[in-house]
Amino acid sequence: ARQCQRISPTQGPCTRSALKDKDYCILHACPACGSEKAMSAKLCPLHASTDPAMWSASQLKQGLAHVGLDTLGYVDKMDLVRQARIHLCPAPGNAPAGRTPDQVPCASPQQSPPGSPHKGVDPARWSIAQLREALRATGVDMSH
């Protein structure tokens, strides 16, 4: 079996076997994409930056403030993560240029999905087409 390609700045080369069809071992392969990650990290830097569960409470609050949501009532980090996912908060450092919090619409989980007569439907239950329509309506560029 091939050797893991991870070279730690403090520990040197990893001596474990790489996963099948990967360059890194179980400790150093990102479970989302197989890219390199530190042993102590859950995900590679790219996925850690885009997954709200990997953000600090401070980063979550900043993201939620950016989309105009008051975080005063949230004490549990998982509540903040859930809200960040519902409100499609930008990753830390990736807020859309030129937009201020009052210009970024914030979809409420109590809003009905586009084209639906039902009120109070959680956006997590919307179809992909409904999500795209809602994002387009708020000016989010879906081309990338």
Side-chain angles (χ1 to χ4, degrees), residues 56-125:
S56 68
S58 173
Q59 290 171 321
L60 288 162
K61 288 179 181 180
Q62 287 172 358
L64 290 167
H66 181 80
V67 297
L69 187 69
D70 180 13
T71 60
L72 190 60
Y74 298 101
V75 292
D76 182 38
K77 182 178 174 185
M78 286 314 299
D79 288 336
L80 293 171
V81 169
R82 196 169 12 267
Q83 291 302 315
R85 287 179 175 152
I86 289 170
H87 297 286
L88 304 172
C89 290
N94 289 333
R99 294 181 106 176
T100 60
D102 60 320
Q103 294 171 314
V104 178
C106 184
S108 164
Q110 299 308 312
Q111 290 176 329
S112 60
S116 170
H118 304 291
K119 296 285 184 193
V121 178
D122 186 332
R125 297 179 186 264

Side-chain angles (χ1 to χ4, degrees), residues 7 23 31 45 49 51 64 69 71 98 134:
I7 300 175
D23 290 330
S49 70
D51 180 3
L64 290 167
L69 187 69
T71 60

Side-chain angles (χ1 to χ4, degrees), residues 5-78:
Q5 298 299 300
R6 168 75 177 176
I7 300 175
S8 166
T10 57
Q11 303 295 319
C14 178
T15 59
R16 294 181 178 270
S17 294
L19 296 170
K20 182 179 180 189
D21 298 325
K22 302 287 182 200
D23 290 330
Y24 304 100
C25 69
I26 187 87
L27 299 176
H28 297 120
C30 174
C33 67
S35 294
E36 181 179 12
K37 71 171 192 68
M39 181 173 67
S40 60
K42 291 182 182 178
L43 298 168
C44 68
L46 173 66
H47 286 100
S49 70
T50 59
D51 180 3
M54 304 306 293
W55 303 349
S56 68
S58 173
Q59 290 171 321
L60 288 162
K61 288 179 181 180
Q62 287 172 358
L64 290 167
H66 181 80
V67 297
L69 187 69
D70 180 13
T71 60
L72 190 60
Y74 298 101
V75 292
D76 182 38
K77 182 178 174 185
M78 286 314 299

Side-chain angles (χ1 to χ4, degrees), residues 88 99 103-107 132-141:
L88 304 172
R99 294 181 106 176
Q103 294 171 314
V104 178
C106 184
R132 283 188 177 139
E133 180 184 333
L135 290 170
R136 271 194 298 276
T138 62
V140 174
D141 180 10

